Amino acid sequence: MELIFEKSVKGRRGISLPVPDVPTAKMDGRYLRAKAAELPEVSELDIVRHFTNLSRMNFSVDTNFYPLGSCTMKYNPKFTETIANLAGFRELHPLMAQFDYAEGLVRGALEVLYDVEVLLAEITGMKEVTTEPLAGAHGELTGIMLIAAYHNHKKNKKKYVLVPDSSHGTNPASAAIAGYELISIPTGKDGCVDMDEYKAKLTNDVAAVMLTCPNTLGIFNTHIKEVADLAHKVDALMYYDGANLNAIMGKVRPGDVGFDVIHLNLHKTFATPHGGGGPGAGPVGVSEKLVDFLPVPKVVKNKDGSFSLKENKPKSIGRIAPFYGNFGVILKAYAYILLLGREGLIEASEMAVLNANYCMALLKKAYNLPYDRTCMHEFVLSAAKQLEHGIRALDIAKYLIDNGIHPPTIYFPLIVKEAIMVEPTETESKETLDRFIEVMLKAAELSQKDPEVLKNAPTTMPVSRLDEVKAAKDINCSHI
């Protein structure tokens, strides 16, 4: 496909501006370009066709099945876009609530933020929630900052944060940014944290234990209450990575089993855009111990039923975002929660778990399943059996592309050789899952009978195999 610059025709224009009827201002020469910007000269129709055709060359969740599901992007119902596009919300100025005497003009928006915090607190079992963090990773950092504030206030001399070796990479990164040293806990034979190793490394110097439950192997840790109780005995706080809350919504509340902090990825559980394609949102919930340290401003409900912002919180970690969170994203999550209601949210989790177990049961006969247990919303296969024929997880992922399926997450978690993580989500039909299973089984068969088909995939795309390391490290988006 030609680049937009290659379609440029000298003198062609997509817009025309009227002759100005006011004097033209002269700009200081220091701010002028040394030479004219190199821009494509194209018509409006040229641009529309170029980008429309370009979009057709890409995968999207609206066009193709994504078995990496909510981790990266799951289907978002379109009605939430309509809600977020209502003029009364869309045209709000993000600073309006902070203007003197202007709070009365944004009561509806403040009520949305207040209600979302109350609903998320109920769903997670936390005392209070802040919607301020602008993405999941931002929420994770906020959570660790809250933990640090708690220990600083108590003058606790804590140095370490414990994380499982199956954790998301953001966990150790967030803890390190907050100034803590990391201690990795190995995974036991049951796919959960090795309890003997955990007990051995849980000392008075530990500030927090960061866990994802169910974890990245799709396994719910049945020892979670014991893990939390042991942590609290040394005044370590329990951090819940809410990435996989969509598996247990309405079944288990993290706050009820001893977690003190939770960050939520609204896109994973409540159907909003992902951070990378977002913007995102990463609300944080806390237990009673951490309420005083939550960011400001805090939306409060007054005795007369009105809503306002509270700034005066002496122990607060302060502002962690310019406004009160990504309001449009939070609004979509609010609409989604209200539409589904309690029973609907529970059913969403049940469907996610059912879909994952259905796929796992039919694929484990062709692939290795390192942790053969009933899974939650995702499971991790190993292509070790296919590797014996020279086929890697990457080859299978590329073969899926040729069959109209987006590749699942591969090579994660790191503790599984040739890992293939499958997360079908709750929205996919049995027919779609059967099609995916059929293609995966065919890939396993080809690995023995005709491995070159897999090694050469994809062959149906505009480009074949990319140098993925170079593509990631040496990205060049200046020409499209």
Side-chain angles (χ1 to χ4, degrees), residues 200-446:
K201 293 176 179 174
L202 182 65
T203 66
N204 288 326
D205 292 330
V206 173
V209 180
M210 299 184 78
L211 291 179
T212 307
C213 187
N215 64 14
T216 57
L217 295 166
I219 296 172
F220 188 89
N221 190 333
T222 53
H223 304 292
I224 195 65
K225 187 67 168 61
E226 181 184 3
V227 170
D229 289 344
L230 289 171
H232 289 152
K233 283 185 178 178
V234 296
D235 204 14
L237 298 184
M238 290 292 293
Y239 186 98
Y240 185 89
D241 181 328
N244 294 342
L245 182 74
N246 56 326
I248 60 171
M249 208 166 31
K251 303 290 185 181
V252 177
R253 302 197 311 170
D256 293 343
V257 291
F259 283 97
D260 299 292
V261 189
I262 175 174
H263 86 266
L264 297 169
N265 303 69
L266 292 188
H267 68 278
K268 292 179 66 73
T269 306
F270 301 110
T272 70
H274 185 267
V284 170
V286 296
S287 64
E288 181 79 41
K289 297 175 183 174
L290 297 173
V291 166
D292 290 343
F293 304 104
L294 282 171
V296 290
K298 175 75 176 171
V299 181
V300 294
K301 186 174 184 178
N302 303 309
K303 291 182 179 178
D304 62 358
S306 63
F307 298 88
S308 58
L309 295 176
K310 181 180 179 181
E311 297 270 2
N312 184 22
K313 292 189 66 176
K315 296 179 184 176
S316 167
I317 61 172
R319 293 178 181 272
I320 49 92
F323 310 116
Y324 331 110
N326 274 323
F327 180 72
V329 177
I330 295 166
L331 186 58
K332 293 173 189 176
Y334 183 50
Y336 181 81
I337 293 171
L338 292 183
L339 179 72
L340 267 64
R342 182 179 183 277
E343 297 305 319
L345 293 175
I346 293 172
E347 185 177 358
S349 287
E350 290 176 345
M351 290 300 104
V353 173
L354 177 62
N355 284 356
N357 278 282
Y358 179 73
C359 293
M360 185 183 75
L362 294 176
L363 289 176
K364 68 179 184 181
K365 60 185 178 184
Y367 295 87
N368 283 351
L369 182 62
Y371 300 94
D372 191 358
R373 299 176 54 184
T374 301
C375 69
M376 299 301 288
H377 67 304
E378 64 188 7
F379 60 98
V380 180
L381 299 171
S382 167
K385 192 184 298 183
Q386 287 68 40
L387 188 59
E388 295 173 4
H389 304 283
I391 295 300
R392 306 191 63 200
L394 179 67
D395 301 316
I396 295 166
K398 299 299 183 184
Y399 176 73
L400 292 177
I401 296 174
D402 272 343
N403 287 273
I405 298 171
H406 195 283
T409 299
I410 54 175
Y411 300 112
F412 182 81
L414 302 178
I415 57 175
V416 174
K417 183 179 181 181
E418 296 293 324
I420 302 175
M421 175 190 282
V422 178
E423 186 181 4
T425 81
E426 69 277 12
T427 58
E428 300 297 341
S429 67
K430 180 175 180 298
E431 291 75 19
T432 299
L433 300 182
D434 285 340
R435 164 70 176 148
F436 168 66
I437 292 165
E438 176 189 349
V439 175
M440 285 290 288
L441 293 178
K442 183 66 177 178
E445 179 184 338
L446 286 171

Side-chain angles (χ1 to χ4, degrees), residues 65 80 170 432 454:
F65 174 44
T80 59
T170 49
T432 299
L454 300 175

Side-chain angles (χ1 to χ4, degrees), residues 59-78:
F59 269 66
S60 78
V61 75
D62 285 350
T63 58
N64 298 87
F65 174 44
Y66 268 54
L68 47 66
S70 64
C71 191
T72 295
M73 180 61 78
K74 69 176 182 181
Y75 177 72
N76 298 317
K78 302 306 179 198

